[in-house]
Amino acid sequence: MGELRGTHVPVLLERCLELLAPALDRGGRTVHVDATLGLAGHAEAVLQRHPHTVLIGLDRDTEALAHARVRLARFADRIHLEHAVYDELPEVVDRLGYPGIDGVLFDLGVSSLQLDAPDRGFAYAQDAPLDMRMDQTRGVTAEEVVNSYSHPDLARVLRVYGEEKFAGRIASAILRERERGRITSSARLAELVRESIPAPARRTGGHPAKRTFQALRIEVNRELAVLETALPAALDKLHVGGRMVVLSYHSLEDRLTKQALADRVRSKGPVDLPVELPGSGPTFRLLSRGAELAGEAEVAANPRAASVRLRAAERLDPATGHQGRTDRERSGRRVRAMHQPGTGSTRGSTVDLEAILGDGRTDEQGEGT
C-alpha cells in the first residue's frame, strides 16, 4: 500500500454529521452507507459519533480501500469495506444481510488520494500517464479515449461533461497531435488544450485544461451514468426516517441529484384537493432549501470545498408523511391549482420544486441552519 499520498480534509464534515444524526441515533443498531468511502474521513467521524452504527463503505479504488481499512481498524467489528461502485449499493446491502439502511452519504467527484497521486493522471498540473481510472483494475483509460475517439465523440464529451465552449477546437488539436504520435502524457494534453483556447479566454476561469480533464475523468469512469442509477437505488434502500446526504462538485452531478429528489418530494395527487389522497403524498422531505454551500472559513481552510453543493433528504412514512406539510406548501398547492385549471396531476410541474430544489441562491434555509 505504501505511505499515504496527499492530505484529506472531509468537506462540510460537521454539517453532514448534523444532518445524518437523527437517522443514526434512533436507538439500537443502525446502518450507514458511505457510498464514496475514499480516505474515510466522513466514515471515521460517523463511527466515532455513533457507537451503535454499522458502516458499509464502498469504493471502486483499491488503494483508497487499503488506506481506509488501516484508518478504521479500531472499528473492525462494525465495518464492511467493499470494492464496489456506488450503483452496486443495493446488491452489497442485500448480500450483507441488511433489510435496509438508515443513512447514506455520497461525496462525489475525484478523491484527495486520486488528485494528489501524480501517477494517476487526474491532475493537469502534474505530468503523468493518461489513466484517470478510479478503479485501476478495469475499464478504459483516458489515453484510450484521447487516442481512439472520433472528433464528434471527443467534442461531445468535452462539451457535455466539461461544459467546454471550445470543445471542437480542442478535439481538432487532439486529432492533429495524434497523427504525429500517440498522446500518453497528461502534461502534453494540458498543453494542447491551452494552445487551443484563445488567449483572452485563458486569462479567466482557472487553468484552461480544467474542464477537459473533468470531462475525460467523467467519461472514463462513467460517473454520471452510474450516479443516475445509484441515487434512486439508495433512496429506495432507506428505512422510514432514514437520510441521504449528497455532496456534488459540479453542475452535472448537482442536476442529477435534484432530479432524483424531485420525484420523491412532490405530491402525485390531484392539485385541487385540500388534502392528500392516501398513497399520493411525497415519500421524502428535503432538509435544506436549495443547495447548501461551504462557508468562507471552510473554503479558506480547504479550497476543495469551494465548489461543493450539498443536498439532503429524509424518507417519510407514506401513511403519515403528508401530515407534516407546512402552510407554505399547502399554499403552494393552491397557487399551482389556480394556475393549472383542469389538470388532474402535478406530474411535470416544477413551479414549487424550483424554489425548493434551487441552486442555492436563496435566503431561506432548511433544517439546522
Side-chain angles (χ1 to χ4, degrees), residues 180-202:
R180 293 190 284 267
R182 190 171 181 85
I183 302 170
T184 61
S185 160
S186 62
R188 182 57 187 139
L189 177 61
E191 181 65 16
L192 284 172
V193 174
R194 192 192 68 80
E195 293 171 352
S196 303
I197 295 177
R202 293 201 301 263

Side-chain angles (χ1 to χ4, degrees), residues 7 14 51 75 83-84 87 122 134 145 181 186 199 229 231 234 293 300 303 306-307 314 320 326 332 353:
T7 59
E14 288 302 320
F75 306 108
H83 182 215
D87 64 343
F122 288 98
M134 293 178 177
V145 171
S186 62
T229 301
L231 291 174
L293 314 180
S307 60
E314 178 185 57
T320 60
T326 65
L353 288 176

Side-chain angles (χ1 to χ4, degrees), residues 140-160:
V140 300
T141 65
E143 179 183 336
E144 293 174 83
V145 171
V146 165
N147 287 285
S148 65
Y149 275 31
S150 67
H151 183 282
D153 285 342
L154 263 179
R156 172 189 55 80
V157 167
L158 302 184
R159 183 177 60 254
V160 175

Side-chain angles (χ1 to χ4, degrees), residues 214-256:
Q214 171 185 295
L216 290 173
R217 190 201 80 219
I218 290 172
E219 173 71 5
V220 165
N221 296 288
R222 300 183 59 251
E223 291 178 41
L224 297 182
V226 171
L227 184 62
E228 190 171 17
T229 301
L231 291 174
L235 290 169
D236 288 341
K237 274 296 180 183
L238 284 169
H239 292 303
V240 171
R243 293 184 168 202
M244 180 171 81
V245 178
V246 182
L247 302 176
S248 304
Y249 295 87
H250 58 75
S251 61
L252 302 174
E253 294 171 341
D254 188 49
R255 192 176 306 148
L256 286 178

Side-chain angles (χ1 to χ4, degrees), residues 33-178:
V33 176
D34 192 317
T36 49
L37 184 63
L39 294 177
H42 288 100
E44 181 181 42
V46 166
L47 290 165
Q48 288 172 335
R49 295 278 182 95
H50 305 285
H52 300 293
T53 294
V54 172
L55 171 79
I56 301 174
L58 311 180
D59 208 294
R60 66 172 90 189
D61 189 327
T62 55
E63 186 178 1
L65 280 170
H67 284 296
R69 200 173 301 280
V70 172
R71 183 173 192 165
L72 302 179
R74 66 189 186 278
F75 306 108
D77 59 335
R78 52 191 181 101
I79 63 172
H80 306 278
L81 305 188
E82 300 284 330
H83 182 215
V85 187
Y86 40 75
D87 64 343
E88 300 174 86
L89 184 154
E91 291 79 8
V92 173
V93 171
D94 289 345
R95 175 167 53 77
L96 293 173
Y98 296 106
I101 61 177
D102 300 283
V104 58
L105 172 69
F106 288 85
D107 185 9
L108 302 171
V110 63
S111 75
S112 299
L113 171 66
Q114 294 156 349
L115 197 60
D116 291 338
D119 58 328
R120 301 293 292 271
F122 288 98
Y124 39 77
Q126 299 172 327
D127 192 16
L130 276 173
D131 192 323
M132 297 195 194
R133 291 174 299 168
M134 293 178 177
D135 181 354
Q136 291 188 300
T137 68
R138 56 186 173 180
V140 300
T141 65
E143 179 183 336
E144 293 174 83
V145 171
V146 165
N147 287 285
S148 65
Y149 275 31
S150 67
H151 183 282
D153 285 342
L154 263 179
R156 172 189 55 80
V157 167
L158 302 184
R159 183 177 60 254
V160 175
Y161 294 159
E163 300 176 293
E164 174 57 72
K165 292 187 297 184
F166 303 102
R169 296 176 61 154
I170 295 169
S172 295
I174 289 172
L175 263 67
R176 287 195 300 271
E177 178 69 12
R178 74 191 199 194

